[in-house]
Amino acid sequence: MQGMTISRPAAPPATVAPVVFEADYIRGLTELFEEKIVFNQLLGLKLLSVQPDRASASLPMRRELVGHFAHNRVHGGVISAALDTLGGLAALAAVGARHMDEAPALRLQRFAKLGTIDLRIDYLRPGISEHFEMHAEVLRVGSRVANTRMAFHGADGKLLAVGAGVYIVS
């Protein structure tokens, strides 16, 4: 049987255990996001969830955040800042997931190297709502740069703005 090849079934893919962050790491990220970044505290941002490739947060509407007095719309800078900071946190979580061999405190120190390189925000609808929810997901994380995409929703779930962020992570 010359020229004939025998094909073997492909080996099953190796299963990789999902990354689960320790309570100390989640607590540290929450403290960083809600308290240590004082501007986030001023805005009233609250972290809802953080996973190795995504993060969610909420923002209550307050009089101090109004950008257009006649329509009671949230200021575009608030939307931009909220999406930027959440995109950065998602990037930090993705980097942390790559270094699970390090102690949580050591992974949290990586925040000092994080910075925004590029940010694009598209405002789709007026930001009118009692509160807002935002989500960020990591598209790619490399050794030096991470790319994220973010979404800003009203209380009714309507998409009000989207963003894309590029962050230095090393």
Side-chain angles (χ1 to χ4, degrees):
M1 300 203 154
Q2 284 182 313
M4 229 169 111
T5 60
I6 300 173
S7 63
R8 294 189 177 142
T15 57
V16 178
V19 173
V20 177
F21 291 135
E22 308 89 339
D24 285 350
Y25 188 67
I26 299 287
R27 206 170 11 261
L29 285 174
T30 302
E31 180 183 337
L32 203 148
F33 185 81
E34 294 180 3
E35 297 169 27
K36 289 189 176 179
I37 302 174
V38 181
F39 188 63
N40 290 357
Q41 191 175 29
L42 179 73
L43 293 176
L45 290 171
K46 295 293 180 192
L47 190 60
L48 298 175
S49 71
V50 62
Q51 297 172 21
D53 62 345
R54 66 191 67 242
S56 298
S58 66
L59 174 68
M61 183 59 181
R62 299 188 334 267
R63 184 179 164 283
E64 298 83 4
L65 304 180
V66 170
H68 193 294
F69 68 92
H71 300 287
N72 202 37
R73 286 193 297 236
V74 68
H75 192 284
V78 171
I79 294 172
S80 177
L83 291 179
D84 182 24
T85 196
L86 189 62
L89 183 81
L92 180 63
V95 170
R98 287 185 157 191
H99 297 279
M100 292 298 289
D101 56 324
E102 297 176 358
L106 194 56
R107 278 181 275 145
L108 288 168
Q109 287 178 4
R110 292 177 177 277
F111 175 74
K113 297 179 180 181
L114 182 74
T116 305
I117 296 173
D118 190 43
L119 181 68
R120 177 185 169 90
I121 305 296
D122 292 319
Y123 302 95
L124 308 175
R125 291 184 179 88
I128 301 170
S129 188
E130 309 84 52
H131 69 275
F132 305 96
E133 195 168 297
M134 61 223 72
H135 307 280
E137 74 174 304
V138 178
L139 302 176
R140 180 183 182 282
V141 62
S143 60
R144 297 182 49 84
V145 173
N147 300 76
T148 65
R149 91 173 132 205
M150 299 83 74
F152 191 89
H153 297 268
D156 59 0
K158 278 190 181 166
L159 184 61
L160 305 178
V162 294
V166 181
Y167 302 89
I168 186 89
V169 293
S170 67

